[in-house]
Amino acid sequence: MHDYDHQQIEKKWQKYWEKNQTFASHVDESKKKYYILDMWPYPSGAGLHIGHAVGYTATDIVARYRRMLGLNVLHPMGWDSFGLPAERYAVRTGTHPAITTKQNIDTYREQLQSFGYYYDWNREIASSDPEYYKWTQWIFTKLYEKGLAYEAEASVNFCPALGTVLANEEVEGGRATDGGHEVVRMPLKQWVLKITAYADRLLEDLELVDWPESIKTLQRNWIGRSEGVTVDFPIEGLNEALSVYTTRADTLFGATFMVIAPEHPFVEQLTTEDHKQVVEAYVQAARGKSDFERTEVVREKTGVFTGGYCVNPVNGEKIPVWVADYVLASYGTGAVMAVPAHDQRDYEFATQYHIPIKEVIRPCDGESAKEGEAFVDDGVLINSSSNELSLDGTTSKEAREKLADWFEKNGKGKRTVQYKLRDWLFSRQRYWGEPIPVLHFEDGTKRILELDELPLIPPHLDDFAPPGDGTSVLSKAKEWVGVYDEKSKKPAKRETNTMPQWAGSCWYYLRFCDPQNKEASWGKREEKYWLPVDLYVGGAEHAVLHLLYARFWHKVLYDCSLVSHPEPFYSLRNQGLVLARSFKDRHNKYIEAEDVVEKDGVYRHKKTKEVLTTQIEKMSKSKLNGVSPDGIIQEYGADAFRLAVSFIGPLEKEKIWNSEVLNGCRRFLCKAFELVSSNKVSDQENEAVTKLAHRLVAKAREDLEALQLNTLIAKMMEFINEVSSSKTLPKEAVEWFVQVLSLYAPHLGEEMWKMLGHDESILLSKFPEPDPQYLVDEVVTYVVQVNGKVRGRLELPRDRSKEELIQLATDHPNVARFLDGAKIQKTVVVPNKLLNFVTA
Ligand code: ANZ
């Protein structure tokens, strides 16, 4: 087989593309645009991993395809380069984060270039570059001017290990999503962005975008819109009422107690003298717990009785009020009416504290609820009538409407919409982030910086360690903090908090449209032309963080008339994780794959011969099951690697990496190279090969539109196998194949294109359009016999499977007549000619 010198060929074409600016993009209103975007990487010290290669190869293939379809393609790349790892490294080594960040960026760029990716490098940007974050800060001032950025004393998620406050979206199960460190609640004055003001639009506009349903659902749940009523329960002996929020007003007659959050303002007033001590102790204990701990479903419910009572507004019943930490102060009114028969948490609570359980809803299908559980679904009301209201027999849904009307008429409550979404906690006490551009004056007032004062650059520090007490790293730079404000002629102190990692990625797709603009964040014309992003590809882990935050900023910018579309990313696709086989010895220590030999499915250590346990796991450095892109490119070439990462499975699914795929892909490339460079290629016609080429191109168009990049490789391999025995290969058919191949293997593609006599880059060629005449299946006539006698004929497309043939033949009325009742012993098939049933 022909081998090719990938190192020489790949270098050569990379130089060619750079010299000819093949990937450069320019606004051109006479052409249709296509903006394709990758989630920009955080340039970590570890360099590119295979997960990056999967996503970036996919967008690269699509970019090349759209370009060859004649679209004006924008495919940029940059760096999300503010972040904790650089800062932690700085704390450890004293190296300024700017230095490590620059080194890492250089490595990433070089690695990406070695893949031959179609990126317009003239548009490279980095979120930690002052020329960039000048505008991040400026957008913050816009948010501030619109009243969407405010300071609030809040109970926040503070992570002592990271020395910073985190957003709700960054905490999972009481731990930081970044590193799994413990998070505690702590009151702190913080900057907060009013994302809740956009809750409804963030929800509704999900209808405008073509995103995976799973991501839309995650966002919907995160926003958590719920419709219910707030009902006032008069407090006995006080001239006050306890408001509760409920989505299940239909269960009101079943309320047998009420629960208020430990932080509820009425706790003191409701608590009677003899319950005081217990309640105070309980409230004190609840303070240290996170919302997560408090609402964990499996956890045993705790609570204490206040001694106080409320009155149920629908029937005048007296209801005891408890304090329990499973009710959150921050949701609804911080108080609930508890209906143990129909809410599981209330049920568990009532069982534990021997509170009565009153059934008021029956399942519609007449079945009774399960023993030991609350019946939580909608149903038909029972035990729900009083002097003023009679609801027995109505459905839950009807009852809710009737009650809401009744409350609103009598002024006892009103219809209410609630969201789970909370405002976005926006300050971090870190060094390596955008300083928040605000000055605080002695009299407690503040001033947001103006554009001519931006970028606000952080001070130089030698010690980057967070103080750890909730104050920011920047507060250590006393000289930077204390200033005389020339604009207001007053002494002032700079804000010392910085923005979270997410800030820079809230608008980078906009800067890519016009990255060198010195006067503005982006030009109107550029934004209007390029936006929205046509296809955005990245990991699903950003569902409620980046993807929600960026939509929020975009909508604010839309309201400022700075962008012309309500949504930033029209279509979104998520790439699946890459998994690989890992090995462990008997001490549970990971073993490098290179040190493992396999025989009959048993894996042993090469040297010690110890039998190892093996597992398919997420590829990662710590599990020693990763692969180094640099090494692979060296050995197999970027083209083979790009093919391999596309071949292992559908983009959106989890897939298992195995290096055998690389060998297969490399062999395929060699074979293709051999054919294309052989003297079989000529102007001579060959119908069969031409037809295969048309079919390949048709399949390519179909698969590329659907982002089914792996199946198209299989088709290309099939094509090569089928034409390899041909004596002649029509040049046009070969060209078409090369055009498809070049999307995946661009270096070799260009090389072959040149060998076929073209002087310009293959990207300037037009992607072929198949002739429909070659796509229709050829029709053949089958003779159908029963015991050797002709009983029917079938006109069918060529090459049907045996199963399909038998099915169709037995359905044939005349054949069926002769087969009726008989047992088929054997079926003889002569492909595309004859089918004979032999009966017993
Ligand atoms: C009575 C009731 C009866 C409820 C029933 C549910 C089932 P969503 O849909 O998530 O909005 N709730 C209200 N505020 C709360 C708080 N601060 N902490 C904990 N729970 C709270 O949930 C609304 C329901 O959650 C409300 O409806 C309330 O319990 C509870 F059979 O009221 B329900």
Side-chain angles (χ1 to χ4, degrees):
M1 207 178 337
H2 236 66
D3 211 339
Y4 66 97
D5 182 351
H6 60 259
Q7 294 195 0
Q8 186 258 326
I9 290 181
E10 291 178 0
K11 276 271 130 44
K12 170 176 136 192
W13 287 103
Q14 283 162 20
K15 278 212 191 97
Y16 173 93
W17 294 322
E18 212 208 310
K19 185 165 157 265
N20 290 280
Q21 288 288 300
T22 313
F23 308 145
S25 40
H26 307 280
V27 170
D28 178 354
E29 278 92 359
S30 71
K31 273 181 158 175
K32 215 172 149 219
K33 63 92 185 183
Y34 191 82
Y35 185 177
I36 181 163
L37 183 67
D38 298 290
M39 288 186 186
W40 60 350
Y42 171 76
S44 75
L48 223 58
H49 58 75
I50 209 155
H52 290 123
V54 168
Y56 300 162
T57 303
T59 51
D60 192 74
I61 292 167
V62 176
R64 288 169 183 277
Y65 170 60
R66 299 280 163 190
R67 171 79 181 262
M68 282 159 80
L69 287 181
L71 298 176
N72 190 11
V73 171
L74 171 59
H75 190 206
M77 183 40 88
W79 322 106
D80 189 13
S81 46
F82 268 138
L84 266 182
E87 184 168 335
R88 271 191 234 135
Y89 186 78
V91 172
R92 268 200 322 264
T93 63
T95 321
H96 196 281
I99 296 172
T100 41
T101 301
K102 184 177 177 312
Q103 285 165 353
N104 294 348
I105 287 177
D106 288 343
T107 312
Y108 265 64
R109 189 190 308 103
E110 219 170 278
Q111 286 186 309
L112 289 175
Q113 285 172 345
S114 72
F115 276 90
Y117 286 144
Y118 182 123
Y119 287 124
D120 180 356
W121 288 107
N122 304 324
R123 293 178 186 262
E124 180 183 343
I125 53 178
S127 60
S128 61
D129 178 353
E131 282 305 306
Y132 180 86
Y133 69 70
K134 168 181 178 172
W135 301 107
T136 311
Q137 290 171 328
W138 178 74
I139 296 172
F140 179 84
T141 69
K142 295 281 133 198
L143 283 148
Y144 181 84
E145 283 160 14
K146 285 191 97 65
L148 295 168
Y150 62 96
E151 274 186 296
E153 186 87 42
S155 168
V156 298
N157 307 303
F158 182 73
C159 178
L162 299 178
T164 188
V165 160
L166 298 172
N168 289 338
E169 289 84 350
E170 291 171 307
V171 181
E172 210 181 305
R175 296 191 166 267
T177 45
D178 178 6
H181 307 287
E182 197 196 346
V183 171
V184 295
R185 303 292 295 183
M186 178 160 136
L188 265 185
K189 192 161 186 191
Q190 297 293 319
W191 282 95
V192 186
L193 299 190
K194 216 178 197 159
I195 190 172
T196 51
Y198 284 74
D200 271 327
R201 281 164 67 189
L202 288 168
L203 199 62
E204 283 159 18
D205 288 357
L206 284 173
E207 301 303 322
L208 304 180
V209 293
D210 165 29
W211 285 20
E213 210 40 53
S214 57
I215 301 286
K216 287 191 181 184
T217 304
L218 282 167
Q219 290 212 348
R220 282 192 195 108
N221 292 344
W222 189 260
I223 297 166
R225 186 180 198 274
S226 92
E227 284 179 19
V229 288
T230 24
V231 185
D232 294 336
F233 283 64
I235 299 173
E236 230 192 27
L238 281 177
N239 204 7
E240 302 261 20
L242 198 57
S243 269
V244 304
Y245 172 70
T246 177
T247 46
R248 292 296 305 273
D250 53 312
T251 64
L252 251 158
F253 284 85
T256 55
F257 60 107
M258 322 249 314
V259 187
I260 58 178
E263 302 84 357
H264 197 283
F266 284 172
V267 171
E268 235 187 272
Q269 292 176 66
L270 272 159
T271 306
T272 57
E273 207 44 47
D274 41 338
H275 291 87
K276 211 171 172 149
Q277 232 180 344
V278 190
V279 171
E280 274 175 7
Y282 185 82
V283 169
Q284 191 61 32
R287 242 172 232 150
K289 293 181 193 158
S290 69
D291 285 1
F292 171 77
E293 276 178 84
R294 287 172 46 167
T295 50
E296 239 180 330
V297 189
V298 290
R299 186 176 150 254
E300 195 171 300
K301 309 283 171 294
T302 62
V304 287
F305 178 42
T306 60
Y309 289 87
C310 279
V311 178
N312 189 334
V314 290
N315 58 7
E317 260 174 36
K318 203 169 127 172
I319 312 180
V321 183
W322 290 63
V323 180
D325 63 8
Y326 76 85
V327 171
L328 302 177
S330 55
Y331 189 65
T333 62
V336 304
M337 62 173 215
V339 186
H342 304 293
D343 179 275
Q344 192 57 28
R345 284 181 313 184
D346 298 345
Y347 180 89
E348 283 162 26
F349 194 89
T351 319
Q352 192 166 332
Y353 295 103
H354 310 288
I355 303 172
I357 299 175
K358 184 180 162 198
E359 200 188 344
V360 290
I361 310 282
R362 270 278 154 81
C364 292
D365 56 13
E367 265 179 48
S368 53
K370 274 204 209 87
E371 193 63 30
E373 265 179 38
F375 172 69
V376 299
D377 295 336
D378 275 4
V380 179
L381 274 73
I382 56 168
N383 300 329
S384 297
S385 293
S386 65
N387 295 341
E388 293 173 66
L389 276 158
S390 107
L391 297 167
D392 289 336
T394 53
T395 64
S396 289
K397 203 164 171 237
E398 284 164 357
R400 282 196 288 271
E401 289 308 313
K402 280 195 180 163
L403 278 162
D405 289 343
W406 187 79
F407 285 131
E408 287 185 341
K409 202 176 84 207
N410 294 297
K412 295 185 184 203
K414 58 173 191 299
R415 287 182 168 86
T416 312
V417 176
Q418 284 288 335
Y419 300 90
K420 293 250 154 50
L421 185 70
R422 292 285 158 266
D423 279 343
W424 175 13
L425 200 136
F426 198 67
S427 14
R428 298 294 180 276
Q429 291 70 48
R430 311 295 322 191
Y431 175 75
W432 194 231
E434 304 86 347
I436 292 178
V438 169
L439 287 174
H440 297 273
F441 302 114
E442 275 159 8
D443 60 4
T445 59
K446 52 186 170 264
R447 177 170 86 74
I448 190 107
L449 298 190
E450 290 166 27
L451 183 54
D452 64 355
E453 298 167 289
L454 301 178
L456 173 61
I457 298 174
H460 194 86
L461 286 180
D462 292 319
D463 172 14
F464 306 98
D469 57 356
T471 60
S472 172
V473 182
L474 295 188
S475 63
K476 296 204 240 181
K478 297 274 180 284
E479 274 166 33
W480 182 82
V481 174
V483 290
Y484 181 78
D485 178 24
E486 290 295 343
K487 287 210 183 187
S488 63
K489 307 273 180 254
K490 278 192 285 189
K493 278 199 161 121
R494 286 196 193 282
E495 168 69 44
T496 55
N497 283 318
T498 53
M499 299 186 197
Q501 159 98 74
W502 314 104
S505 50
C506 277
W507 72 283
Y508 75 114
Y509 56 92
L510 283 160
R511 188 67 181 171
F512 274 141
C513 297
D514 193 10
Q516 268 116 34
N517 198 327
K518 290 242 187 299
E519 270 71 55
S521 48
W522 55 83
K524 271 206 158 3
R525 180 181 166 215
E526 286 79 2
E527 182 278 327
K528 204 165 163 39
Y529 181 72
W530 292 116
L531 264 275
V533 170
D534 295 274
L535 177 64
Y536 194 22
V537 176
E541 67 275 15
H542 296 293
V544 289
L545 292 157
H546 161 58
L547 287 171
L548 194 62
Y549 295 153
R551 292 184 62 220
F552 162 47
W553 277 38
H554 193 86
K555 289 188 182 305
V556 176
L557 296 170
Y558 183 74
D559 292 348
C560 296
S561 304
L562 289 162
V563 297
S564 32
H565 302 268
E567 285 288 325
F569 315 120
Y570 173 65
S571 67
L572 170 79
R573 293 293 176 268
N574 294 122
Q575 67 198 70
L577 284 180
V578 182
L579 315 176
R581 188 172 286 284
S582 63
F583 307 95
K584 274 183 183 171
D585 67 10
R586 62 182 188 285
H587 306 297
N588 230 10
K589 220 182 91 206
Y590 281 106
I591 304 293
E592 195 90 52
E594 274 181 21
D595 298 328
V596 180
V597 282
E598 184 250 15
K599 196 170 172 257
D600 306 326
V602 179
Y603 296 91
R604 287 175 191 274
H605 197 290
K606 238 184 211 165
K607 292 197 199 91
T608 66
K609 301 283 178 270
E610 180 191 339
V611 175
L612 304 170
T613 55
T614 174
Q615 225 182 327
I616 302 287
E617 292 182 277
K618 181 178 165 186
M619 200 182 252
S620 99
K621 259 207 146 73
S622 61
K623 293 174 181 137
L624 302 183
N625 63 348
V627 287
S628 136
D630 294 348
I632 295 178
I633 289 181
Q634 270 283 332
E635 199 180 335
Y636 294 87
D639 285 338
F641 192 20
R642 294 169 49 117
L643 266 172
V645 293
S646 315
F647 193 51
I648 48 176
L651 175 66
E652 294 174 64
K653 295 270 157 58
E654 268 189 359
K655 41 204 161 276
I656 302 171
W657 172 258
N658 94 51
S659 27
E660 262 316 291
V661 182
L662 271 173
N663 288 318
C665 289
R666 172 78 193 193
R667 269 198 305 276
F668 160 67
L669 287 176
C670 291
K671 222 167 146 181
F673 191 59
E674 183 175 1
L675 273 185
V676 174
S677 52
S678 73
N679 53 17
K680 289 182 182 176
V681 183
S682 72
D683 290 332
Q684 231 177 307
E685 280 186 23
N686 182 330
E687 262 304 281
V689 174
T690 299
K691 183 172 163 182
L692 287 171
H694 279 261
R695 291 186 166 220
L696 173 67
V697 166
K699 171 86 174 149
R701 284 176 173 258
E702 201 181 300
D703 283 357
L704 290 162
E705 291 298 332
L707 268 179
Q708 251 142 41
L709 306 176
N710 57 325
T711 46
L712 180 52
I713 301 180
K715 192 77 189 166
M716 284 192 283
M717 291 176 166
E718 219 179 284
F719 176 88
I720 286 297
N721 286 339
E722 286 177 24
V723 305
S724 61
S725 53
S726 256
K727 296 250 156 29
T728 59
L729 298 172
K731 185 164 168 235
E732 195 188 45
V734 174
E735 284 180 341
W736 285 21
F737 165 78
V738 171
Q739 283 174 299
V740 179
L741 179 70
S742 74
L743 307 176
Y744 293 79
H747 310 88
L748 204 55
E750 293 275 21
E751 186 72 19
M752 293 171 170
W753 194 243
K754 197 166 164 59
M755 278 167 27
L756 291 166
H758 300 276
D759 285 333
E760 278 185 329
S761 164
I762 194 165
L763 280 166
L764 304 181
S765 72
K766 230 176 132 279
F767 200 76
E769 235 172 293
D771 184 337
Q773 108 185 23
Y774 290 107
L775 305 182
V776 279
D777 284 303
E778 200 185 317
V779 174
V780 292
T781 307
Y782 274 90
V783 173
V784 185
Q785 302 177 332
V786 177
N787 297 322
K789 293 213 175 69
V790 178
R791 298 299 180 196
R793 273 171 224 279
L794 288 173
E795 303 253 297
L796 290 175
R798 234 185 141 75
D799 299 331
R800 289 289 118 136
S801 72
K802 186 168 172 179
E803 295 72 41
E804 218 179 330
L805 282 173
I806 293 175
Q807 183 63 50
L808 289 166
T810 48
D811 285 348
H812 187 287
N814 197 45
V815 176
R817 199 155 65 84
F818 284 94
L819 282 176
D820 193 29
K823 191 166 175 279
I824 299 170
Q825 230 173 15
K826 195 164 105 177
T827 312
V828 182
V829 178
V830 181
N832 299 318
K833 286 210 171 75
L834 174 134
L835 191 76
N836 183 17
F837 293 108
V838 183
T839 65

